[in-house]
Amino acid sequence: KLFAQVFFPSMGATVSTSLKHMEQGSLLQIDATGETEEGLQVGFTLAEMADMSENLLKSIGLTDAFAPIFYFVAHGSSSNNNPHYAAYDCGACSGRPGSVNSRVISYFLNKKEVRSELKNRGIVIPDATLFMGALHDTTRDEIVFYDEELLQGSLKELHLKNKATFNEALKNNAFERSRRFILINKNKQKNQVWEKVKLRSISLFEPRPELNHATNSLCIIGGKELTKGLFLDRRSFLNSYDYRKDPEGKYLAGIMGAAAPVCGGINLEYFFSRVDNLRLGAGTKLPHNVMGLIGVANGIDGDLRPGLPSQMIEVHEPVRLLMIVEQYPQVVEKVLHASAPLLEWFENEWIHLVVLHPDEKAFYVFKGKGFVALDLEPRLIQKTNDILDVIMKNHENMPVMMMEEVI
């Protein structure tokens, strides 16, 4: 049996997978019924649903032009024999997959009463629009969809077309990620590489099923047109935001209040673990034992390891996160000074903050207590019409490039 697990890995009971967190056809108690559990309310009231839905849609700038089907894609992973499995799931979900969240917010926005309340708040969602939850397994590059039975008529056909698009994207993503995996032959067809990537996720002896957030160095908060066609080498967190729909910075405060500790925390976790993996990281993961479900120790050592194992940071360059926000400097400054914990991140330069002025198209960098103009010299950016071909010839970090044909 051990021989079979090592040389012919397959999905089984020993594999930790995000798909086990919630069955596709499971029922969730989402509406509040007045029940409580340990003094806590079970489910959500209509007011809570409307508030959460409004905050989400306005914070990402989605208040009109809704597509027929809107997908909320959560993330999780699959891994075998891995004491750091929780680090492969969603940090915002306490180290679990985000599948439940994707279904819950979709339920909110499909509910007629919620849509009616959102209409009173200026967000009109067409009756024909359907929201659907999904889960992306980032190790295997597979996706599952929830509540597909809600699809009717033309939406069913559209969903099938979308599924084909998702699969092509997943295949390209696995192919792109594989350039960092030395043991995978990149000269094979995409489908073959994809299968090899899936096998890595369940291999008993594979210490690097994926490289997580390694090489992260940038966080961009702004419209998608800022990065359209840019190849950023998987190094950037991208947060949709429309400054035109947030003149007071109300929603930006929520975004930065989450992005600073989450993205900045992830970046520093990799930063310190890479700078001194023995003392600030965790050393090799191979002898790690889980201790009390709160941490790991090396073999029989009693000390809990404070950071990440060497297999997660080997390709990481230790730089502090650069956050770029598309908004007026005075609005961002107001947001920062309204929250002392948020201000600390940038005042102490744990995160470098640059603002792109929407009208001037000029950059301002945060220094001390305010913003100063940033003088940048124009630089030529390399262009390519086949980004996959370019990146597969290089194992190292790559510069920003412009893709003439967006994949």
Side-chain angles (χ1 to χ4, degrees), residues 264-284:
I266 288 171
N267 178 264
L268 290 179
E269 185 178 34
Y270 279 83
F271 178 91
F272 289 116
S273 296
R274 180 66 178 83
V275 167
D276 189 344
N277 192 245
L278 180 62
R279 295 177 179 83
L280 303 178
T284 175

Side-chain angles (χ1 to χ4, degrees), residues 7-258:
F7 293 99
F8 304 99
S10 61
M11 293 294 283
T14 62
V15 177
S16 298
T17 172
S18 54
L19 299 179
K20 293 180 181 177
H21 186 62
M22 179 182 66
E23 293 291 336
Q24 275 184 276
S26 60
L27 297 177
L28 301 179
Q29 180 58 54
I30 300 176
D31 290 290
T33 60
E35 297 177 59
T36 60
E37 188 173 315
E38 296 183 3
L40 300 175
Q41 172 185 298
V42 176
F44 301 88
T45 65
L46 181 61
E48 288 171 334
M49 292 182 187
D51 289 343
M52 292 180 188
S53 299
E54 179 189 18
N55 285 335
L56 174 64
L57 295 178
K58 287 187 175 179
S59 69
I60 63 175
L62 181 66
T63 56
D64 52 26
F66 288 92
I69 306 177
F70 191 96
Y71 299 92
F72 285 104
V73 184
H75 77 91
S77 70
S78 297
S79 191
N80 199 5
N81 190 31
N82 187 1
H84 295 268
Y85 171 66
Y88 288 59
D89 277 338
C90 178
C93 305
S94 301
R96 295 179 177 85
S99 45
V100 174
N101 290 349
S102 70
R103 286 187 71 188
V104 168
I105 190 63
S106 298
Y107 179 87
F108 289 179
L109 289 163
N110 285 330
K111 197 174 178 67
K112 289 182 179 179
E113 295 85 348
V114 172
R115 292 192 181 192
S116 177
E117 179 57 31
L118 290 177
K119 186 176 182 180
N120 296 334
R121 304 182 189 189
I123 303 175
V124 179
I125 301 174
D127 292 339
T129 293
L130 181 76
F131 293 85
M132 178 175 287
L135 175 71
H136 173 206
D137 188 318
T138 57
T139 314
R140 297 175 60 79
D141 266 318
E142 292 180 327
I143 194 167
V144 294
F145 299 92
Y146 299 102
D147 306 310
E148 290 180 289
E149 66 277 4
L150 297 176
L151 294 162
Q152 301 293 330
S154 61
L155 289 185
K156 262 187 178 179
E157 297 176 16
L158 179 59
H159 179 56
L160 289 176
K161 292 179 181 178
N162 290 343
K163 269 187 169 181
T165 303
F166 272 113
N167 277 333
E168 189 63 29
L170 292 165
K171 190 190 309 179
N172 284 335
N173 196 52
F175 192 68
E176 181 183 335
R177 288 197 300 124
S178 73
R179 79 183 185 89
R180 296 283 192 176
F181 302 148
I182 306 299
L183 297 180
I184 290 183
N185 184 354
K186 322 302 185 301
N187 296 320
K188 292 188 175 182
Q189 296 295 317
K190 288 182 187 177
N191 279 332
Q192 293 174 307
V193 172
W194 193 12
E195 290 305 314
K196 290 291 184 183
V197 168
K198 290 178 187 177
L199 284 176
R200 287 177 69 90
S201 71
I202 53 177
S203 174
L204 192 63
F205 61 85
E206 178 51 68
R208 303 171 186 83
E210 68 165 293
L211 295 171
N212 303 74
H213 287 297
T215 74
N216 75 89
S217 60
L218 184 64
C219 176
I220 300 175
I221 301 172
K224 289 302 181 189
E225 61 275 7
L226 288 179
T227 53
K228 185 177 181 180
L230 281 182
F231 170 71
L232 297 171
D233 198 20
R234 315 181 68 85
R235 306 190 67 180
S236 178
F237 299 98
L238 300 175
N239 197 117
S240 295
Y241 172 69
D242 190 341
Y243 70 92
R244 292 162 294 195
K245 297 175 181 177
D246 188 30
E248 299 298 317
K250 173 186 173 183
Y251 298 106
L252 180 62
I255 292 172
M256 292 187 71

